[in-house]
Amino acid sequence: MAERGRGWARAVRGLLLDVSGVLYDSGADGGVPIAGSVEAVRRIKASGLKLQLCTNETQATRESFVRKLRALGFDIAVAQVTAPAPAACHLLRERGLRPHLLVHDDLVPEFAEIDKTNPNCVVLGDAAENFTYANLNEAFRLLIGMEKPVLISLGKGRYYKETDGLKLDVGAYMKALEYACDIQAEVVGKPSKRFFESALAELGVPPEQAIMIGDDIVNDVGGAQQCGMRALQVRTGKFRVVSLPLSLPPSSYQN
Amino acid sequence: MAERGRGWARAVRGLLLDVSGVLYDSGADGGVPIAGSVEAVRRIKASGLKLQLCTNETQATRESFVRKLRALGFDIAVAQVTAPAPAACHLLRERGLRPHLLVHDDLVPEFAEIDKTNPNCVVLGDAAENFTYANLNEAFRLLIGMEKPVLISLGKGRYYKETDGLKLDVGAYMKALEYACDIQAEVVGKPSKRFFESALAELGVPPEQAIMIGDDIVNDVGGAQQCGMRALQVRTGKFRVVSLPLSLPPSSYQN
């Protein structure tokens, strides 16, 4: 077992890290680092392992997200963050789509270069306080009025943990619009295979030599495994013991 | 065909009518009657047919709903309305459930006699402006914190038409909470079989002698048919031609 453990570790050249629930718990006050995580990032970098953050964060531009992480003590550069909004812009350009945005105010600058006149799709992010009755009705009416409604969702998470408790994530609102319009959203961000592939390209390491570390069993662990990577689930963030089957010891769930 | 038509009509002793989209289009201003509907109700009553309104309306108590309809010219009594909130109260009492309410302010009095301390379920109605980010997070946290989350939804409609346009209905928000908590809601109201059965009991007519008339192909027409009734879909309210399959002439969809 020890021999196998060393072999496993030797083959690893890069790490993809989820951020919220792994490095820090987000919150209105900017959030707080999870104990040991600043030091862990420092040691990963010192070890020579490649490091890329792979996040579904859509409440801020990558630039301001990185400023926040640096203020919390994490030594991270903008190029080390793979996030859904830039991936969505790529897709919008590729397909000539003009979005109506239902996103957080602080994410809007990511779409500055995108034509948003006469929308032919809706882009949904973690809009938080912008998830009002009026805004959801507006997005719904645009979609139901389209001959072929296109809903692009920046992630499909169920919920996440902030410093003041659990919050509904974009996936819940995506389901509301999917049901109302009888359509299926296209998900940009984890667990999309294409998204993990771009994160790996930015990491510069093939899937079999990379490990994804996250707190979400579906979007982090499942998505990475679909891509041929190994994955670890941390027990911080939204992790809840109640979600473990009773028939297996908790240690079985660490990878 | 003429003979068969007369036979069909002779067997009908009672009508269940949906209200929003059939008798009137609701709206912030109290709504407006649909052309011909006040006269139609008058003629139904004059014909000797029994009449019961079967609505998923949950933005008001039955009393104030009937006041509104009477002000619009409909000669209807409170006992002629079957609505989800009284049915939900029956179910809550039967099962000893104490609800947290996420409903329209004007519906709250329907639950006046129900114990709401230390909630062990969530009741979801068409809360309209009360569908805020904060209120949805609160309902979600209560559910996810329960050992066995119980979500009772007053209907599961996708959307409805108001005088100023289409609005997301309770079903969309039900789907958001179902997804976030990985649960299935219990639906009280149309298309639940139990709900149609209580409407028929109040009508005093067996299903084979009753017809349901509504604008919703799933909740009105489908639900009634599941109960052994015949059903007609009107072309007012949320009815949209686009939802008809192209291979059949539109007249095929009137029953």
Side-chain angles (χ1 to χ4, degrees):
Chain A
M1 285 299 278
E3 188 60 34
R4 186 176 148 210
R6 280 202 299 276
W8 189 80
R10 261 201 304 275
V12 176
R13 287 181 47 227
L15 298 180
L16 293 184
L17 294 191
D18 178 31
V19 183
S20 175
V22 175
L23 296 187
Y24 84 130
D25 285 324
S26 59
D29 48 359
V32 292
I34 290 168
S37 60
V38 170
E39 171 65 9
V41 167
R42 202 193 56 74
R43 287 177 59 190
I44 290 165
K45 296 185 72 151
S47 76
L49 282 170
K50 291 189 175 191
L51 176 66
Q52 184 78 14
L53 306 189
C54 184
T55 178
N56 271 7
E57 165 71 37
T58 59
Q59 285 203 2
T61 60
R62 276 197 305 178
E63 285 70 17
S64 65
F65 183 59
V66 164
R67 264 197 305 278
K68 183 169 76 173
L69 292 179
R70 295 184 67 88
L72 293 174
F74 296 102
D75 180 18
I76 294 292
V78 171
Q80 281 179 300
V81 176
T82 304
C89 288
H90 186 76
L91 180 147
L92 294 167
R93 280 200 198 89
E94 205 174 67
R95 286 168 45 191
L97 291 170
R98 300 177 307 275
H100 167 82
L101 302 176
L102 177 44
V103 301
H104 197 283
D105 288 345
D106 295 342
L107 192 72
V108 174
E110 290 274 21
F111 298 88
E113 306 299 314
I114 301 285
D115 178 8
K116 292 178 282 291
T117 56
N118 187 20
N120 57 5
C121 74
V122 168
V123 168
L124 190 70
D126 177 14
E129 301 291 344
N130 280 347
F131 280 132
T132 63
Y133 179 61
N135 285 348
L136 278 161
N137 277 333
E138 188 186 4
F140 159 68
R141 282 184 206 171
L142 278 165
L143 285 169
I144 201 89
M146 291 173 192
E147 202 180 337
K148 246 183 101 105
V150 176
L151 173 60
I152 293 168
S153 188
L154 306 180
K156 61 169 198 173
R158 295 170 189 268
Y159 57 87
Y160 55 90
K161 189 182 170 191
E162 291 217 318
T163 45
D164 62 346
L166 298 178
K167 298 275 170 79
L168 287 171
D169 199 357
V170 62
Y173 293 93
M174 175 191 87
K175 286 291 168 185
L177 291 173
E178 282 188 340
Y179 177 71
C181 303
D182 196 15
I183 58 173
Q184 261 217 291
E186 302 176 35
V187 177
V188 173
K190 297 177 285 184
S192 140
K193 193 170 179 188
R194 187 169 165 180
F195 188 73
F196 275 109
E197 284 168 353
S198 36
L200 284 168
E202 285 159 6
L203 185 69
V205 164
E208 64 276 11
Q209 296 184 346
I211 295 182
M212 171 74 202
I213 300 176
D215 66 336
D216 190 309
I217 193 72
V218 173
N219 294 293
D220 296 325
V221 175
Q225 287 174 341
Q226 287 293 320
C227 240
M229 300 172 62
R230 285 163 287 178
L232 296 170
Q233 185 181 22
V234 293
R235 291 175 159 247
T236 48
K238 80 183 85 176
F239 176 84
R240 297 165 73 233
V241 173
V242 71
S243 58
L244 297 176
L246 295 173
S247 53
L248 289 167
S251 62
S252 312
Y253 287 86
Q254 292 180 348
N255 58 28
Chain B
M1 285 299 277
E3 189 59 34
R4 187 177 147 209
R6 280 201 298 277
W8 189 79
R10 263 202 303 275
V12 175
R13 288 181 46 228
L15 298 180
L16 294 185
L17 295 191
D18 179 29
V19 183
S20 174
V22 174
L23 296 186
Y24 85 130
D25 284 324
S26 58
D29 48 0
V32 292
I34 290 167
S37 61
V38 170
E39 172 64 9
V41 167
R42 203 194 53 75
R43 288 177 60 189
I44 290 166
K45 296 185 71 151
S47 75
L49 282 170
K50 291 190 176 190
L51 178 67
Q52 184 78 14
L53 306 189
C54 184
T55 179
N56 271 6
E57 166 69 40
T58 58
Q59 285 202 3
T61 60
R62 275 196 303 177
E63 285 70 17
S64 65
F65 184 58
V66 165
R67 265 198 304 278
K68 182 169 76 172
L69 292 179
R70 293 185 69 88
L72 293 174
F74 296 102
D75 180 18
I76 293 292
V78 171
Q80 282 179 299
V81 177
T82 304
C89 287
H90 186 78
L91 181 147
L92 293 168
R93 279 199 199 90
E94 206 176 66
R95 285 168 47 190
L97 291 170
R98 300 177 308 275
H100 167 82
L101 301 176
L102 177 43
V103 301
H104 197 284
D105 288 345
D106 296 342
L107 191 72
V108 173
E110 291 275 21
F111 298 89
E113 306 299 315
I114 302 284
D115 179 8
K116 294 180 279 293
T117 56
N118 187 20
N120 57 6
C121 75
V122 168
V123 169
L124 191 70
D126 177 14
E129 300 291 345
N130 279 347
F131 281 133
T132 62
Y133 179 61
N135 285 348
L136 277 161
N137 277 333
E138 189 186 3
F140 158 67
R141 281 184 206 172
L142 277 166
L143 285 169
I144 201 88
M146 292 173 191
E147 202 180 338
K148 245 182 104 104
V150 176
L151 173 60
I152 294 169
S153 189
L154 306 181
K156 62 170 199 173
R158 294 170 189 270
Y159 57 88
Y160 56 90
K161 189 184 171 190
E162 292 217 317
T163 47
D164 63 344
L166 298 177
K167 300 275 169 81
L168 288 171
D169 199 357
V170 61
Y173 293 93
M174 175 191 88
K175 286 291 169 185
L177 291 175
E178 282 189 341
Y179 177 73
C181 302
D182 197 15
I183 57 173
Q184 261 216 291
E186 301 176 37
V187 177
V188 173
K190 297 176 287 184
S192 139
K193 193 171 178 187
R194 185 169 167 181
F195 188 72
F196 276 109
E197 284 168 352
S198 35
L200 284 167
E202 284 159 8
L203 186 69
V205 164
E208 62 277 12
Q209 295 183 345
I211 295 182
M212 171 75 202
I213 300 176
D215 66 336
D216 190 310
I217 193 71
V218 173
N219 294 293
D220 295 326
V221 176
Q225 288 174 340
Q226 287 291 322
C227 240
M229 300 172 63
R230 284 163 291 178
L232 296 169
Q233 184 181 23
V234 293
R235 288 172 161 251
T236 48
K238 81 183 86 177
F239 176 83
R240 296 165 75 232
V241 172
V242 71
S243 58
L244 297 177
L246 294 173
S247 53
L248 288 167
S251 62
S252 311
Y253 288 85
Q254 292 179 351
N255 57 27

